[in-house]
Every structure is written in structure tokens, then in C-alpha cells.
Amino acid sequence: MEGVAGIVVVGAGIAGLAVALGLHRSGLRSLVLESSDSLRASGFAITTWTNAWRALDALGVGDALRQQHVRLEQLVAFSASSGSVTTRLSLRARGKHIGEHEVRCLKRNLLVEALAQELPHGTIRYSSKVVSVEEAGSVKLLHLADGSTLRAKVLIGCDGVNSVVAKWLGLKVPAFAGRYAARGIATFPDGHAINPEFAQHFGTGYRSGMLPCDKKSVYWFFTWTSDGEDKEMRKDAARVREFVLSKMKTAKVPEEVLHVIERSELSGVASSPLRYRSPFNLLWGDISRGNVCVTGDAFHPMTPDLGEGGCAALEDGVVLAKCLAQALIGAGQERSEEDERRRIEAALQKYANARRWRNLDLVVTSFVVGFIQEGGNWVMNMMRDEVLSGLLAKKLLSEADFECGNL
């Protein structure tokens, strides 16, 4: 069977839902194609910096999410070798562009559900995996796994690091950063006593972090440089947790850090390779072409060292929705198909121009910060702990000092 749609968004993750909701708030309908049979609300948590809260407010879901998560008051960095505090930074400091900073750790399921619940019924079509894209005159012909096809006037790829749409645009497969990340959430039914702060511990070849999401759950992560001999371990949640604990137990970290990791259910522990888009691919590759573009991880996969991957996806959604709305919502006059095509292409190019340099900066900075933070020798560790720690912490706030604008 063949269907026809106007704006098609591929992927119902954070990026895709942000785009769809931005379009809805702007008065434009879209169809979101999701490969799974239900909303992918599972996952861990994302550090939501001030720039992301500006985007969430523009999308109309910020206040509801604030009520479900605690506000983090400060960032505290520790040396894992000495246990000493290397940096202490207020997360309420004032930025140059956005006023007082605001940082929370959002549970991914609550964020995804908040975005999806605001969409009109029928916006998301489940069990709709796009396997290929084909030119069909002024539209794109999408081939789905079930054998059906769909014609789209606008195609927006939000389908992650293995994006079919990014591949069609000619973007290269994201590069492996040589590092891995383990993540987990610990739940405390009777509540916990973890301070509302972002605590990080830096060791030789690894970095760990711990952030409370609310009064009963705490998110933790552990990133490390792999020696290539831990392949089998990374496939087993129990062994991943034991690996992280073995590293942390040899470091000088508070007992509460170990307790949080030990408390994590195995179903809530996972590891994954860290990937990023080559800066040259971001600079010279096609983010948009004709009536096709990409957002989120399909556009700018990055290492998690700034905590900006999900935040940037939310920014993308607001900016793209605004560009399309300005192009397609007019005074109601009739337009020819050719005029509409030109407007769509110009809008997507405007979006690409607006987001290319912002996301290039985030990808490159995140990679460099990660390299410094996980220094593999004593010289790098000493420079990080004694000289660079404060500068790296302030960089997190400076990157969050960004306003994506309103719809």
C-alpha cells in the first residue's frame, strides 16, 4: 500500500518528538514514524542544562518536568586518586545570555512521555521502520519494512546514530571515540540523602558521575578508555556493574557512590560505545538537501562529556519547527507546488545554517574535554586536577549559555 503525507519525521525519540511538538505548537501537522511497536520510553537519564530548559519551555513542557525533578545546586569535581575536591561551581550562576542557570537530571521516560502526550492523537505511527529512501519527483518515497510505501513532501531524519536518512544524505557512519560508557539508575523507595549536586570523579583513563533525578532515584555513569580486552564483559550487565565497582573501590570516593552503583537493578545497567560525527563531516556534509534534513543523533552524535547531546536535539527541534513555520504558514493565499517546494528547501537550508556551527562546536568541545578528563598518564592527570579542572567545569556552563529562541 502507498500513503501520502506532508511532513514526515522518522524516529520517536527525544529529537523526533521535539520536532513534531514544535511543528504542532506552530500550527503544522506531521507524521512520526517509529520502528518499535510502542513509545520507546525506556532508558536512563539526561543532564538537562539551561539551554535545554529554554527549548522545553518553548515546547510548552518545561514546568511539568520541573515538578518531577530536583534542581541541582552545584557541580563538584573530585580527584579519584586523592579524593580531594578540585572544583566547586554553582549551577545557579548567571550566564551572559540566558540569566540564571538551571540544571536538572531528567529521567528519559518522563521526558519522552511529556513530549508525546502533547501531540495530537495519531501523530505517531508505530511498527513503521523506514528501510530506504527514494527520489520520486518533488517528494521522497519511503520504503517501510512491512512492504508499504509513503510519499513525503518534507522528510526529517531523527533516527539516531544509524540513521537511514543521514545515510541517504551522504553523511558518514559516526566514528568510534575509543571509549565506552556504562549507565544506571538506583531507586530508593524510602528516599535517599544524596545532595542535589552533580558529583564527578576523575581517574586515570576514566570518569564517573552521580546526579539525583528526584527524591527517590539517582542516576550514575562511568566512561572509560577501553584496552580492547573487555568485549565480553560489556555484553553482560552484571559484569559491567562489577567492572565499574572494581574501578571505584580502588579509588578514593565516598561510600555513597559505591552504594548507589550497588543498589542499581541489573535491568537498569547498560554499556555502549561512544561515537561522534567527524567535524569535517559536520562542516562539509549535507545536513539538508532539497526537502530532507536530519536532527539529533542522526545529525550530531557526540561523546557525553558536556552532557549536551539530548539538549542539542531539543534545540534542533525548536529551530527547525520555527524555520518551517515561517516558510509554510502565511496569510492563507494559495501557493503553487513549485513555490511551496522552494520555500521548504529554503527553510531547511536556513535550519542547517543555523545549527551547523553550534553543533560543530559541541561535538568538537565534547571530544576534547573527554580526552583531557580521562587523561591516561600522570602528567595529564596533574594538569587536569591542578590547572584545568575549573576551566573544564566553567566550559559546561558556557556551552549551556545558549538561547534557541521561541516558536
Side-chain angles (χ1 to χ4, degrees), residues 30-341:
S30 65
L31 175 64
V32 181
L33 301 180
E34 170 54 39
S35 61
S36 63
D37 58 6
S38 62
L39 190 66
R40 290 182 291 124
S42 61
F44 299 97
I46 68 169
T47 308
T48 312
W49 297 89
T50 318
N51 52 313
W53 285 108
R54 294 297 183 269
L56 290 170
D57 286 336
L59 295 171
V61 296
D63 286 341
L65 289 167
R66 286 184 177 93
Q67 295 175 14
Q68 297 172 298
H69 300 86
V70 299
R71 184 170 181 175
L72 303 181
E73 298 294 334
Q74 64 177 345
L75 181 150
V76 185
F78 299 85
S79 166
S81 59
S82 67
S84 61
V85 174
T86 58
T87 298
R88 195 180 295 274
L89 182 70
S90 171
L91 294 179
R92 288 180 177 265
R94 294 191 66 82
K96 294 180 180 179
H97 307 292
I98 44 75
E100 186 176 272
H101 278 283
E102 176 182 9
V103 186
R104 288 176 170 83
C105 184
L106 295 193
K107 289 183 176 179
R108 186 184 182 278
N109 65 317
L110 296 181
L111 172 56
V112 169
E113 289 167 359
L115 294 170
Q117 287 169 3
E118 294 297 311
L119 293 172
H121 179 71
T123 298
I124 306 173
R125 182 184 296 178
Y126 296 105
S127 300
S128 300
K129 180 179 177 61
V130 176
V131 295
S132 65
V133 180
E134 182 183 345
E135 293 276 7
S138 62
V139 300
K140 294 297 176 288
L141 184 64
L142 310 181
H143 293 269
L144 277 60
D146 62 3
S148 64
T149 58
L150 185 68
R151 292 176 177 268
K153 289 185 178 180
V154 182
L155 176 60
I156 303 170
C158 309
D159 44 343
V161 293
N162 298 312
S163 169
V164 171
V165 180
K167 182 179 179 180
W168 184 89
L169 284 170
L171 293 174
K172 297 180 180 179
V173 175
F176 174 47
R179 300 159 55 211
Y180 291 84
R183 303 174 176 89
I185 286 185
T187 302
F188 300 83
D190 298 324
H192 61 74
I194 305 297
N195 291 329
E197 60 187 29
F198 183 177
Q200 295 191 84
H201 295 84
F202 300 102
T204 301
Y206 69 85
R207 175 178 71 109
S208 72
M210 185 176 72
L211 311 83
C213 298
D214 50 40
K215 294 180 180 180
K216 295 185 177 182
S217 57
V218 181
Y219 169 66
W220 61 268
F221 64 84
F222 182 89
T223 64
W224 76 96
T225 302
S226 174
D227 58 8
E229 298 181 0
D230 50 11
K231 182 178 180 180
E232 293 303 316
M233 176 275 293
R234 298 194 303 268
K235 298 178 182 179
D236 183 271
R239 293 177 64 184
V240 168
R241 187 174 65 179
E242 288 306 311
F243 168 75
V244 174
L245 284 171
S246 69
K247 289 286 188 180
M248 300 305 288
K249 286 178 179 179
T250 60
K252 293 183 179 180
V253 300
E255 283 296 321
E256 67 179 14
V257 174
L258 302 177
H259 181 54
V260 165
I261 299 172
E262 290 170 339
R263 185 65 180 258
S264 304
E265 292 290 337
L266 290 180
S267 60
V269 177
S271 66
S272 58
L274 300 182
R275 303 187 184 281
Y276 68 102
R277 176 80 64 203
S278 161
F280 298 104
N281 203 207
L282 277 173
L283 188 59
W284 303 112
D286 285 334
I287 299 164
S288 74
R289 185 165 74 241
N291 57 351
V292 180
C293 73
V294 285
T295 80
D297 281 346
F299 174 6
H300 48 70
M302 65 184 76
T303 60
D305 304 286
L306 292 177
E308 282 287 352
C311 302
L314 293 168
E315 291 179 11
D316 291 344
V318 172
V319 174
L320 178 54
K322 181 164 51 178
C323 289
L324 281 171
Q326 290 171 349
L328 297 178
I329 298 178
Q333 68 272 24
E334 292 292 329
R335 298 193 182 99
S336 67
E337 288 188 8
E338 180 60 24
D339 181 46
E340 184 179 59
R341 182 189 65 78

